[in-house]
Amino acid sequence: MRSGVIAQKVGMTRIFTDGGEHVPVTVLKLANCQVVAHRAKDKNGYVALQLGAGMRKVKNVPRAERGHFAVAKVEPKRKMAEFRVDEKALIPVGAEITADHFVVGQFVDVTGTSIGKGFAGGMKRWNFGGLRATHGVSISHRSIGGTGGRQDPGKTFKNKKMPGHLGVERVTTLNLKVVQTDAERGLILVEGAVPGAKGGWITVRDAVKKSLPKDAPQPGKFRMAADEAGAAAPEADAEATEKNAAAKPSAGEEQPTPDSTAQAAPSEASAAVPTETPAASETPAKPAPEGA
């Protein structure tokens, strides 16, 4: 059993097949979905992964939760969820699950919170047929009718389908087909409608009533933040090594010492500036005055 993901519902669109047919799809976006903690069997009694998604301001996070995220070395998350997995399907803490965790063509189960519709009548909430629209009914066409059972039992049982609050419930839609994935942008396109409003949080997991494709990654598709830093560090070290090697002289060259450099500087300066004055013979003589 693999882990699921926490995604955010973007909206609905459609894509066209090679045959020209359009497929209505719901776009789900992975908002930095990371593993926050593990649930061990010896400590918690079950094996699971705790995932977090979304961004949250640090000032709005309680101190206890700040420490929980600090241990995992992840930023505070807005949405948290747990997924039961096998012991072999554990993903390291801090890893970010990517969109190609699911393969094209596989079926998934999607869970979300349905859109709230406020107080609704029996016809809208439970699809009742209502009363007659013609003879014998006056201003009660959409009522649900009688709910009791005469003197016996003499009451209305609990959980009777009646008017009340509609929506804002946990709804799971089974067997939605994955049509396309985009790992770079973190998008998952599933065929059909997904419960919840735009911007709502959705959990996506492998379908329980369908077999998992053989090409599905095990234990999942993810990336570590340390891998990117580790890949960049050797390149920077190599560049620094090349620069240092170019700056260092070869073994056969002699390095001038500070004393020799100081002594060589005046000699060069003296060579550049002439110290000898023109000789007296070279100076033109003045002519003698007449009558001397």
Side-chain angles (χ1 to χ4, degrees):
M1 182 185 301
R2 301 193 312 160
S3 172
V5 298
I6 305 174
Q8 197 169 15
K9 181 177 178 180
V10 179
M12 291 199 68
T13 182
R14 63 177 179 175
I15 60 175
F16 290 89
T17 62
D18 296 336
E21 299 177 352
H22 77 90
V23 180
V25 296
T26 302
V27 182
L28 305 177
K29 181 177 180 59
L30 296 183
N32 196 17
C33 182
Q34 289 182 285
V35 180
V36 178
H38 288 170
R39 295 290 180 259
K41 193 171 186 63
D42 55 350
K43 183 178 181 181
N44 306 105
Y46 63 98
V47 180
L49 287 177
Q50 185 184 54
L51 303 185
M55 302 299 295
R56 193 176 178 186
K57 293 183 179 180
V58 179
K59 66 176 183 178
N60 297 333
V61 181
R63 185 175 298 177
E65 293 187 13
R66 293 182 191 178
H68 183 64
F69 292 120
V71 171
K73 297 181 180 180
V74 298
E75 297 181 356
K77 301 299 181 181
R78 186 176 179 184
K79 184 69 175 178
M80 302 284 289
E82 285 190 5
F83 295 92
R84 295 285 187 99
V85 296
D86 298 330
E87 294 183 357
K88 297 181 180 179
L90 288 174
I91 299 176
V93 175
E96 180 183 355
I97 302 179
T98 56
D100 49 356
H101 179 76
F102 303 101
V103 297
V104 176
Q106 85 165 95
F107 292 89
V108 294
D109 296 339
V110 182
T111 303
T113 302
S114 60
I115 299 176
K117 300 181 181 298
F119 190 93
M123 294 182 69
K124 182 176 182 179
R125 189 183 185 194
W126 302 111
N127 198 26
F128 284 172
L131 303 184
R132 290 186 178 184
T134 55
H135 180 71
V137 177
S138 178
I139 323 177
S140 301
H141 307 287
R142 296 183 64 86
S143 67
I144 63 173
T147 58
R150 295 189 179 186
Q151 187 174 356
D152 184 19
K155 66 176 182 178
T156 301
F157 291 100
K158 291 183 179 180
N159 301 323
K160 175 69 176 178
K161 293 181 178 179
M162 299 177 69
H165 186 268
L166 177 60
V168 196
E169 295 178 345
R170 179 185 173 92
V171 179
T172 301
T173 304
L174 304 177
N175 302 334
L176 293 181
K177 187 177 182 180
V178 177
V179 179
Q180 189 176 345
T181 60
D182 190 343
E184 295 182 359
R185 294 188 293 175
L187 301 179
I188 304 174
L189 278 63
V190 295
E191 182 178 356
V194 169
K198 295 180 181 179
W201 294 101
I202 306 294
T203 58
V204 187
R205 68 189 74 200
D206 299 332
V208 296
K209 295 185 178 180
K210 298 286 186 178
S211 59
L212 186 67
K214 296 181 180 179
D215 55 346
Q218 295 288 348
K221 198 72 174 181
F222 58 91
R223 59 169 171 256
M224 298 293 296
D227 294 346
E228 300 177 358
E235 296 178 358
D237 295 343
E239 293 178 358
T241 305
E242 292 178 359
K243 292 180 179 179
N244 295 336
K248 291 181 180 179
S250 59
E253 297 180 0
E254 296 182 357
Q255 286 293 324
T257 59
D259 298 338
S260 61
T261 306
Q263 295 175 2
S267 60
E268 294 176 359
S270 60
V273 180
T275 56
E276 298 180 358
T277 57
S281 58
E282 296 178 359
T283 305
K286 297 180 178 179
E290 295 179 0

